[in-house]
Amino acid sequence: MIALAFNLNVLTRDLSLYLENHVRVGLFGSGVGLSLVLGFGAAYACYYLISVAKKPQLIAGGKKFCQFLREQCPVVSETYYPTFWCWESRVQTLLRPFVTAKPGVSYRNELIKAADGGQISLDWFDNDGSAAHPDPSTRPTVLLLPGLTGTSRESYILHMVQQSRELGYRCVVFNNRGVSGEKLLTPRTYCAANTEDLEAVIAHIQSANAAAPLMAAGVSMGGMMLANYLGRKGRETCLRGVVVFSAGWDVFECTASLEKPLDRFLFNSYLTSCLQASVDRHRPVLEKLFDIDYVMKAKTVRQFDERFTSIMFGYQTNEDYYRDASPIHRLKSVQVPMLCLNAADDVFSPNHAFPVEAVKQNPNVALLITDHGGHIGFLEGIWPWRSTYMDRVFRQFAKAVIEQGSSLRDL
């Protein structure tokens, strides 16, 4: 309370001096307007500091992992101060692509063959100028998985590449089939439940850099795919650790949330159109097996999945697909350290579906929940163009896993 009173006093004093120096006439000249502005400013600051800016909740299944995070990743214990003028969930989600900078990154593209004859596009940032890890054979590698329709050019991916560059690590971005400009060679794209392409990518990276430590980070659907992969593989993976951002844990609940009128208007229709655009771009290959005109008439992500995704991957019903794609059912089998960051106000991943109880039962998993942040938002600072709370979580966890990860063995 002392700190709160001090903050309010400082705010009131600075605002008063500003208005006295810059506003001389009109309503403020009588003092009435000045009092109103000061009162509103103090009330808003009080509300922000009490109700908006809060420490995140850290839930972990084991004391060892929890202690490791608090010691090596202090960000998990620090108050998260969302940008004061855009802390609301939908505003954070919508603004992030526009207000955050896009660091300059030059990739080296590689196309690898998949078992079905298709091709997978990987974008490498080799970081050959790394002073911390000059030997490329042992340079730590971070595998990055973008969201549903994302590529290596998304701002959140570029920020993680930038953080990795500063740490001296190499990055490789796994672009899902058909989304980054490459030709679709077979009538198959991707989904959150199928991890075959991810397994092939991890095996390829490991074979090319066998002596280099490897960890992964997934965002939204990329995080869901990573969680499902870890749940299937258990300890049979070379990944030293995983961090997941804004994952949808129960697909039924996620789609239901996005079908509410406002969120359908703001997000669902746009996502559906992006998915349809990708399908239409590869129409010559896909129309051999699918009714593309029917797919193009879908109005929601659920309708798109019913008409395309679930059929492509051989599910009897869309419900079967959604059940298989929901990572909440596989968390109990995760056997490597995994940190998950979600915002309680994320409309893509409603907080009542967070896997709190499942996390408590697994010593390898931790869930970090902020009150605000939206979906892949986590904006902070007065003008949040340089870095976000999510970026800081990524940087600290990546460094901890790569450099101190030996202490996490046998959780």
Side-chain angles (χ1 to χ4, degrees):
M1 291 306 294
I2 293 176
L4 176 59
F6 175 76
N7 288 334
L8 292 178
N9 287 336
V10 172
L11 175 65
T12 304
R13 182 196 65 198
D14 292 347
L15 185 58
S16 177
L17 289 173
Y18 174 82
L19 291 173
E20 287 177 4
N21 291 331
H22 292 80
V23 183
R24 299 293 185 184
V25 295
L27 180 61
F28 291 107
S30 65
V32 176
L34 176 61
S35 298
L36 288 174
V37 171
L38 290 175
F40 175 80
Y44 185 81
C46 185
Y47 174 79
Y48 175 86
L49 292 172
I50 292 175
S51 301
V52 178
K54 292 184 178 181
K55 290 185 177 182
Q57 180 183 6
L58 179 62
I59 301 167
K63 291 183 179 179
K64 186 176 180 180
F65 193 20
C66 184
Q67 182 180 357
F68 174 86
L69 290 171
R70 294 194 184 280
E71 291 177 355
Q72 303 297 330
C73 307
V75 67
V76 306
S77 302
E78 297 172 358
T79 300
Y80 166 47
Y81 293 93
T83 299
F84 75 93
W85 51 270
C86 65
W87 50 264
E88 196 275 333
S89 167
R90 295 170 183 84
V91 178
Q92 285 244 342
T93 303
L94 291 168
L95 283 185
R96 163 142 192 173
F98 302 102
V99 301
T100 53
K102 287 192 172 184
V105 175
S106 295
Y107 291 115
R108 171 177 60 86
N109 183 256
E110 179 185 17
L111 295 174
I112 65 173
K113 291 293 184 181
D116 70 327
Q119 61 182 359
I120 304 168
S121 175
L122 302 180
D123 282 325
W124 290 84
F125 175 74
D126 295 304
N127 204 7
D128 288 329
S130 172
H133 301 279
D135 184 355
S137 67
T138 58
R139 185 176 301 143
T141 304
V142 182
L143 171 62
L144 303 175
L145 283 71
L148 182 61
T149 59
T151 70
S152 60
R153 290 298 172 184
E154 304 303 322
S155 64
Y156 56 82
I157 293 292
L158 294 173
H159 276 245
M160 287 193 281
V161 173
Q162 174 66 22
Q163 299 290 336
S164 300
R165 172 163 48 192
E166 294 173 1
L167 291 170
Y169 304 159
R170 169 175 46 221
C171 285
V172 54
V173 184
F174 166 34
N175 298 293
N176 287 305
R177 293 199 203 188
V179 300
S180 62
E182 80 281 7
K183 185 178 180 181
L184 200 64
L185 299 182
T186 59
R188 170 172 167 166
T189 56
Y190 59 93
C191 75
N194 189 285
T195 60
E196 292 174 358
D197 282 0
L198 176 57
E199 292 175 33
V201 167
I202 292 175
H204 175 75
I205 296 171
Q206 181 66 8
S207 65
N209 306 279
L214 176 63
M215 69 159 292
V219 181
S220 191
M221 194 209 74
M224 296 166 65
M225 188 183 293
L226 260 179
N228 282 327
Y229 163 80
L230 289 181
R232 287 194 174 103
K233 302 299 287 187
R235 290 195 178 276
E236 296 178 6
T237 177
C238 58
L239 296 179
R240 293 197 177 185
V242 164
V243 59
V244 168
F245 301 106
S246 296
W249 297 104
D250 186 322
V251 182
F252 292 100
E253 297 297 334
C254 296
T255 51
S257 179
L258 286 174
E259 287 169 355
K260 294 177 180 178
L262 179 58
D263 299 317
R264 176 170 175 166
F265 171 74
L266 290 175
F267 306 113
N268 203 326
S269 297
Y270 174 73
L271 282 175
T272 304
S273 66
C274 290
L275 290 167
Q276 290 170 323
S278 180
V279 168
D280 196 45
R281 188 164 56 250
H282 300 290
R283 180 185 285 260
V285 176
L286 296 173
E287 65 183 357
K288 300 173 184 177
L289 297 179
F290 305 95
D291 185 346
I292 302 303
D293 290 335
Y294 184 53
V295 173
M296 296 301 290
K297 293 178 182 178
K299 301 299 182 183
T300 65
V301 172
R302 187 194 298 269
Q303 289 181 2
F304 178 88
D305 288 335
E306 289 171 346
R307 302 174 186 192
F308 184 75
T309 314
S310 61
I311 298 173
M312 171 175 285
F313 288 94
Y315 292 97
Q316 291 295 319
T317 67
N318 195 55
E319 287 70 26
D320 291 338
Y321 163 51
Y322 278 5
R323 191 173 298 106
D324 198 33
S326 300
I328 192 171
H329 304 304
R330 293 195 177 90
L331 280 184
K332 62 183 179 181
S333 302
V334 173
Q335 296 295 314
V336 300
M338 181 169 75
L339 174 63
C340 314
L341 173 64
N342 282 91
D345 63 355
D346 185 351
V347 298
F348 284 68
S349 182
N351 60 44
H352 64 265
F354 288 175
V356 174
E357 293 306 315
V359 169
K360 289 180 179 178
Q361 301 301 315
N362 189 335
N364 298 286
V365 183
L367 177 62
L368 186 65
I369 304 174
T370 58
D371 276 19
H372 300 280
H375 187 71
I376 326 175
F378 302 103
L379 303 176
E380 60 182 358
I382 296 176
W383 186 250
W385 70 282
R386 286 183 179 271
S387 178
T388 68
Y389 181 80
M390 171 177 148
D391 298 333
R392 293 197 291 131
V393 171
F394 167 79
R395 182 188 182 106
Q396 292 184 17
F397 185 73
K399 183 178 181 181
V401 167
I402 295 296
E403 300 179 15
Q404 305 292 335
S406 58
S407 61
L408 288 177
R409 293 172 184 168
D410 302 320
L411 284 178

